[in-house]
Amino acid sequence: MRKPWVVGVLLAAVLLGACGDPASEPEAAPPEVPRASATTHQRAPASPGTSATAPAAQAPSVLYLGDSLAMEAQKVLGQELRRDLRATYTSAPYSGTTVCDYLEGTGERSLVPVADKAATLVRKLRPDFVVLQFWGNAWGYTPCMDKITYDASPEKYFKRYAADVKRLADQIAAAGDARIVWVAQGPDPITPDRVRRVNALYEAQAAASGDLVADAGKAVSAAGARYSWVQYLPCTAYERAHAEYCTQPGRDRTALHRDDDYLHFCLAPTTSTPKPCPVRSPGILRIALAITRAIRENP
């Protein structure tokens, strides 16, 4: 039997696991937070007056897909990509999903509509990069996993997950010339080895197909302890200079997770209606910066 706090965490994950509408409007952003990123089918122009690392002619177009971690981070990632790279940005995350949900051919067994499948969007939008962020959905929330769960059969779960990762990469490659950016996940206190092996699958697939891995999980891990979960980390120089991101300045540390949610990085309470995180959250910014850096350094 799982401990009570674990059950509470799982309940929060189930609430966020409801199929989200990526076109829904987020809550109003707090002061000084730039505009929200684009959502499904919207192409966001570069923010006027912002500097760019790459010339305008080389500004990339980026498609961001994923689960509840992508749902909560989509606004901040769009902000950073536009600010740093003048990127054109489209996001279509759905909470509770996993890799197989974005496969074409899954039909009603998927939480992602046919129009928003990865290959379908690649053919339509012709992005330069497709960023894929999936925690792994180890508990079988989505029908396309055919009730294969990590708890019941770890090896069967990894075999299926590896096959889905390859199939999704193949579908995206066949649909266009986009480079995939697999986002490596942060530590999980319940199944730490599972996350390690899921990240290894992303790395193996990226190596096989010439794609990229953005180790965003390292940015939310303690130095020298990549797979040891922590709720707090020392503030970065940027966070120290911006008090709203250094949540405990007197102790020179910042919060990555709420007390009641070990998985998500949004510091606002979870709701039954998935949406971008409405408050400044250091973990989300760290993840967005890691993804942006991976794209900037691999034009």
Side-chain angles (χ1 to χ4, degrees):
M1 178 179 294
R2 289 192 173 94
K3 296 179 181 179
W5 72 272
V6 177
V7 174
V9 167
L10 293 182
L11 178 58
V14 169
L15 289 176
L16 270 180
C19 182
D21 176 7
S24 62
E25 291 294 325
E27 292 182 1
E32 300 179 11
V33 172
R35 293 181 306 183
S37 64
T39 51
T40 304
H41 310 316
Q42 297 176 333
R43 302 278 282 184
S47 300
T50 57
S51 60
T53 301
Q58 298 177 12
S61 57
V62 180
L63 173 63
Y64 184 37
L65 308 176
D67 55 18
S68 59
L69 296 178
M71 174 65 74
E72 68 181 8
Q74 61 178 312
K75 181 169 66 176
V76 177
L77 179 59
Q79 159 193 300
E80 295 305 319
L81 287 169
R82 288 195 299 266
R83 173 183 294 160
D84 194 345
L85 305 177
R86 290 188 178 175
T88 298
Y89 174 71
T90 306
S91 61
Y94 283 82
S95 293
T97 57
T98 194
V99 174
C100 62
D101 285 289
Y102 281 91
L103 288 169
E104 290 187 321
T106 49
E108 295 180 355
R109 297 172 56 252
S110 168
L111 300 180
V112 174
V114 171
D116 288 343
K117 300 298 188 183
T120 303
L121 290 177
V122 168
R123 283 191 291 269
K124 179 178 180 180
L125 301 174
R126 314 304 295 182
D128 299 305
F129 295 90
V130 180
V131 179
L132 300 175
Q133 182 165 10
F134 295 98
W135 176 81
N137 196 333
W139 295 312
Y141 297 152
T142 175
C144 69
M145 281 295 289
D146 298 319
K147 299 182 180 180
I148 298 172
T149 65
Y150 175 80
D151 288 348
S153 177
E155 293 311 313
K156 189 175 183 180
Y157 164 82
F158 288 122
K159 182 177 180 180
R160 170 60 184 275
Y161 201 80
D164 286 344
V165 163
K166 182 180 186 305
R167 188 178 170 197
L168 185 59
D170 288 346
Q171 287 190 359
I172 290 172
D177 296 324
R179 251 186 129 176
I180 296 173
V181 181
W182 295 98
V183 180
Q185 299 305 298
D188 176 358
I190 308 303
T191 59
D193 185 60
R194 185 198 65 82
V195 170
R196 188 193 307 268
R197 292 183 64 178
V198 163
N199 285 346
L201 291 177
Y202 296 154
E203 291 167 2
Q205 180 58 52
S209 55
D211 291 315
L212 306 173
V213 174
D215 194 358
K218 184 177 181 180
V220 290
S221 304
R226 174 64 177 80
Y227 287 98
S228 295
W229 184 89
V230 290
Q231 185 175 2
Y232 300 92
L233 280 178
C235 295
T236 64
Y238 177 88
E239 290 162 355
R240 292 186 193 101
H242 298 79
E244 63 272 23
Y245 285 104
C246 192
T247 58
Q248 296 185 347
R251 303 177 69 177
D252 191 34
R253 69 177 194 175
T254 196
L256 302 179
H257 306 278
R258 290 172 53 85
D259 292 341
D260 58 356
D261 188 344
Y262 78 93
L263 172 60
H264 299 97
F265 294 91
C266 183
L267 297 183
T270 59
T271 68
S272 59
T273 304
K275 58 190 173 184
C277 185
V279 300
R280 293 184 183 92
S281 299
I284 289 177
L285 179 60
R286 290 180 181 214
I287 288 169
L289 290 173
I291 295 171
T292 301
R293 183 168 58 251
I295 293 174
R296 182 178 66 245
E297 294 176 354
N298 294 275

